[in-house]
């Protein structure tokens, strides 16, 4: 039996000898080609460890807290928990899931700036005290049902004001107000959180955010709060280059505003960073159409002088594994799985569509691909943070089967890092690949 068995227990295939992820993908394509030609996902769990090692070596003083909503596969939660990563949960279900993996409540932050009261109560009951807050209404709710809460005030950054129509986080001025209100209500405030989205290319944003955070720390301390946690949020794409750039930008600022001597714990919320590269989605080409683009880029009937464009219909779309597209993520162009794809094969302008025939169901607006045939397979890498876990929210379409793998060398490294089947990884059933 392959894939996962129930919510918590799952099977991980150990790739021994020279077996690669490409071999695994080839074999599943072969199996699927004989069966229903369904989409499937292959996860390389070793990539989680590689990312963790990269994080630890680049930002050793910043402790990662993984936002569960990025990908809540049990294997991801279990490995990250075993590696000592903390968790950011957006609701009660995520909290319960993380607690089920024996994560201690002080390693969990309940995020979101307008939480359901029952979720705040649930956190209180389970000893989860770190809660994010950016407004007085929320503060009032927390004061009523969670007397032991330790708040992280969410500060807004310029990057967000430019991008988002709905701004999360409060200004410096409202932070003072909120601190005073917390003082009055007897709610503890212990730190600050801010978010710089990965799409923000201007690292100068960190200079303002960190100096603002320092101001809030000073205001908090003036009012008698013990300010001890600085959360620099998310925004790490997963690339080593971007992580190093960000580190170079924030290191002098942290040294100036929050030196190690101050005792402030600096944390971050890398989500995409951890999971993106571990998951690969493989889909089948169900149909194709040849059209031409008119001057406005709209498809029209083809005349001989036109530049042709291929429309391909895939076995999975935005109401399934590509739900991230609806959430505003860009789906990276796929590669073609073809045994005999020659290097000089001509490529054509192509667009990729899901199977629903809905105008929204466009997966990739434009990419260059060799001419495909119905029945070919496309491989989408870096799909770990694209929300395919959440598919069930939007449609009741069946989730594609998920095959977890880990290479022998990664498994060896995990054991070196102190992870073994009999301590934390009790839901992990490791079997040799191919059995
Ligand atoms: C989604 C989310 C993140 C993750 O952002 P990435 O850019 O994917 O790392 C971090 N923190 C919170 C509170 C989130 O909701």
């Amino acid at each position: 039996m392959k894939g996962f068995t129930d919510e918590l227990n799952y099977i991980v295939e150990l790739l021994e000898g020279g077996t690669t992820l490409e071999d695994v993908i080839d074999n599943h394509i072969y199996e699927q080609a004989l069966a229903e030609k369904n989409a499937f996902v292959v996860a390389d769990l070793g990539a989680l460890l590689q990312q963790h090692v990269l994080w630890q070596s680049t930002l050793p003083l910043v402790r990662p807290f993984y936002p569960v909503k990025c990908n809540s596969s049990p294997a991801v939660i279990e490995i990250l928990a075993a590696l000592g990563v903390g968790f950011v949960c957006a609701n009660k279900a995520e909290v319960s899931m993380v607690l089920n993996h024996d994560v201690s409540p002080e390693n969990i932050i309940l995020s979101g700036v307008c939480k359901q009261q029952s979720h705040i109560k649930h956190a209180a009951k389970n000893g989860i005290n770190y809660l994010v807050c950016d407004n007085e209404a929320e503060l009032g709710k927390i004061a009523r049902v969670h007397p032991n809460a330790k708040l992280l005030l969410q500060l807004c950054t310029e990057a967000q004001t430019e991008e988002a129509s709905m701004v999360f986080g409060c200004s410096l001025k409202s932070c003072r107000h909120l601190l005073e209100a917390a003082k009055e209500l007897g709610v503890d405030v212990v730190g600050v959180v801010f978010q710089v989205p990965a799409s923000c290319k201007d690292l100068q944003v960190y200079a303002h955010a960190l100096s603002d955070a320092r101001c809030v720390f000073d205001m908090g301390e003036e009012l008698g709060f013990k300010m001890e946690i600085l959360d620099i949020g998310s925004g790490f794409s997963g690339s080593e280059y971007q992580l190093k750039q960000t580190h170079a930008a924030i290191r002098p600022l942290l040294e100036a505003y929050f030196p190690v001597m101050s005792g402030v714990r600096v944390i971050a919320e890398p989500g995409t960073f951890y999971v993106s590269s571990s998951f690969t989605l493989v889909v089948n080409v169900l149909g194709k159409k040849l059209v031409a683009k008119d001057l406005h880029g709209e498809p029209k009937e083809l005349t001989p002088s036109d530049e042709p464009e291929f429309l391909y219909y895939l076995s999975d779309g935005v109401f399934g594994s590509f739900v991230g597209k609806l959430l505003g993520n860009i789906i990276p162009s796929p590669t073609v799985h073809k045994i005999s794809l020659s290097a000089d094969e001509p490529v054509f302008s192509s667009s990729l569509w899901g199977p629903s025939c809905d105008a929204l169901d466009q997966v990739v607006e434009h990419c260059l691909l060799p001419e495909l045939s119905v029945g070919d397979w496309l491989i989408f890498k870096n799909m770990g943070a694209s929300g395919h876990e959440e598919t069930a929210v939007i449609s009741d379409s069946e989730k594609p089967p998920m095959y977890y793998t880990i290479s022998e060398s990664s498994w060896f490294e995990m054991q070196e890092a102190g992870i073994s089947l009999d301590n934390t990884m009790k839901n992990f059933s490791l079997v040799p690949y191919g059995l």
Side-chain angles (χ1 to χ4, degrees):
M1 190 174 50
K2 290 185 173 177
F4 53 86
T5 50
D6 61 38
E7 204 212 330
L8 278 182
N9 284 291
Y10 49 89
I11 289 167
V12 179
E13 294 183 292
L14 182 66
L15 309 183
E16 292 169 301
T19 310
T20 63
L21 201 68
E22 284 68 39
D23 296 332
V24 176
I25 291 172
D26 283 352
N27 283 335
H28 287 301
I29 284 179
Y30 179 73
E31 278 171 15
Q32 284 292 341
L34 300 174
E36 292 187 9
K37 302 196 176 169
N38 289 327
F40 62 89
V41 176
V42 176
D44 168 18
L45 298 178
L48 289 171
L49 179 67
Q50 306 315 326
Q51 290 301 91
H52 186 64
V53 168
L54 174 60
W55 183 277
Q56 300 282 66
S57 62
T58 315
L59 291 169
L61 298 177
V62 181
R63 184 170 174 214
F65 277 66
Y66 172 74
V68 174
K69 74 123 198 291
C70 274
N71 182 325
S72 56
S73 302
V76 168
I77 305 299
E78 192 156 18
I79 289 178
L80 295 180
L83 289 169
V85 170
F87 291 88
V88 182
C89 298
N91 55 45
K92 195 164 130 181
E94 290 183 3
V95 167
S96 303
M97 170 165 201
V98 170
L99 288 173
N100 269 338
H101 284 91
D102 296 333
V103 173
S104 126
E106 67 263 27
N107 293 328
I108 300 175
I109 296 170
L110 186 61
S111 69
V113 290
C114 34
K115 297 175 276 293
Q116 234 169 287
Q117 181 149 315
S118 62
H119 296 191
I120 302 174
K121 274 190 186 160
H122 178 259
K125 202 174 100 205
N126 287 286
I128 289 145
N129 296 335
Y130 294 123
L131 271 65
V132 173
C133 182
D134 83 347
N135 64 80
E136 257 191 289
E138 187 71 6
L139 181 65
K141 269 192 285 177
I142 295 172
R144 276 194 298 282
V145 300
H146 197 333
N148 296 323
K150 294 170 183 289
L151 301 188
L152 299 175
L153 298 192
Q154 176 132 15
L155 192 58
C156 64
T157 58
E158 294 154 43
Q160 286 171 307
T161 7
E162 273 166 27
E163 291 236 317
S165 47
M166 195 157 83
V167 179
F168 292 110
C170 52
S171 63
L172 268 185
K173 205 167 131 203
S174 27
C175 270
R176 173 175 286 280
H177 192 67
L178 209 52
L179 281 163
E180 284 164 352
K183 178 99 195 156
E184 206 139 286
L185 290 167
V187 179
D188 199 9
V189 178
V190 295
V192 168
V193 53
F194 61 78
Q195 300 286 347
V196 177
S199 56
C200 169
K201 298 283 182 283
D202 179 13
L203 291 172
Q204 193 58 27
V205 167
Y206 280 103
H208 296 268
L210 286 167
S211 102
D212 285 357
R214 184 64 249 175
C215 282
V216 179
F217 267 62
D218 293 341
M219 289 190 271
E221 280 161 9
E222 248 173 65
L223 289 167
F225 291 115
K226 189 162 180 291
M227 303 291 280
E228 52 193 3
I229 298 178
L230 172 69
D231 183 343
I232 62 171
S234 62
F236 306 94
S237 65
S239 97
E240 180 171 353
Y241 175 76
Q242 193 241 17
L243 188 67
K244 293 198 159 142
Q245 292 286 94
T246 309
H247 174 244
I250 63 176
R251 201 191 49 169
L253 297 162
L254 288 177
E255 278 168 7
Y257 296 125
F258 302 93
V260 177
M261 289 287 291
S262 67
V264 172
R265 290 164 55 204
V266 184
I267 66 173
E269 303 180 355
T272 301
F273 175 85
Y274 269 104
V275 289
S276 178
S277 62
S278 328
F279 289 73
T280 302
L281 172 71
V282 185
V283 300
N284 194 246
V285 177
L286 301 180
K288 97 190 219 193
K289 245 187 223 169
L290 186 58
V291 293
K293 284 221 162 155
D294 70 11
L295 287 174
H296 309 290
E298 298 294 325
K300 64 174 182 86
E301 288 295 315
L302 188 67
T303 61
S305 61
D306 284 325
E307 183 83 357
E309 175 179 280
F310 286 101
L311 262 60
Y312 295 107
Y313 295 90
L314 311 180
S315 57
D316 208 342
V318 303
F319 304 111
S321 300
F322 293 105
V323 65
K325 179 77 196 300
L326 291 183
L327 306 174
N329 298 347
I330 292 168
I331 307 293
S333 300
T335 54
V336 185
H337 178 271
K338 260 194 183 170
I339 319 289
S340 59
L341 195 64
S342 61
D344 54 359
E345 201 156 325
V347 290
F348 300 93
S349 174
S350 310
S351 63
L352 307 175
W353 300 78
S356 72
C357 299
D358 187 301
L360 269 181
D361 202 0
Q362 187 185 49
V363 176
V364 175
E365 193 183 325
H366 171 80
C367 59
L368 290 173
L369 290 172
E371 184 175 355
L372 306 176
S373 310
V374 170
D376 280 346
W377 294 86
L378 291 175
I379 299 174
F380 291 83
K381 291 197 174 133
N382 298 318
M383 290 292 288
S386 62
H388 51 77
E389 279 299 297
E390 265 57 64
T391 305
V393 179
I394 296 197
S395 75
D396 52 6
S397 69
E398 236 176 274
K399 273 196 204 177
M402 166 98 76
Y403 304 105
Y404 291 118
T405 70
I406 189 162
S407 71
E408 211 172 14
S409 59
S410 292
W411 179 238
F412 184 71
E413 252 184 85
M414 289 224 187
Q415 286 167 304
E416 295 269 279
I419 293 178
S420 71
L421 287 178
D422 37 77
N423 58 24
T424 37
M425 309 292 288
K426 56 186 193 310
N427 303 303
F428 202 98
S429 319
L430 196 65
V431 301
Y433 175 68
L435 288 190

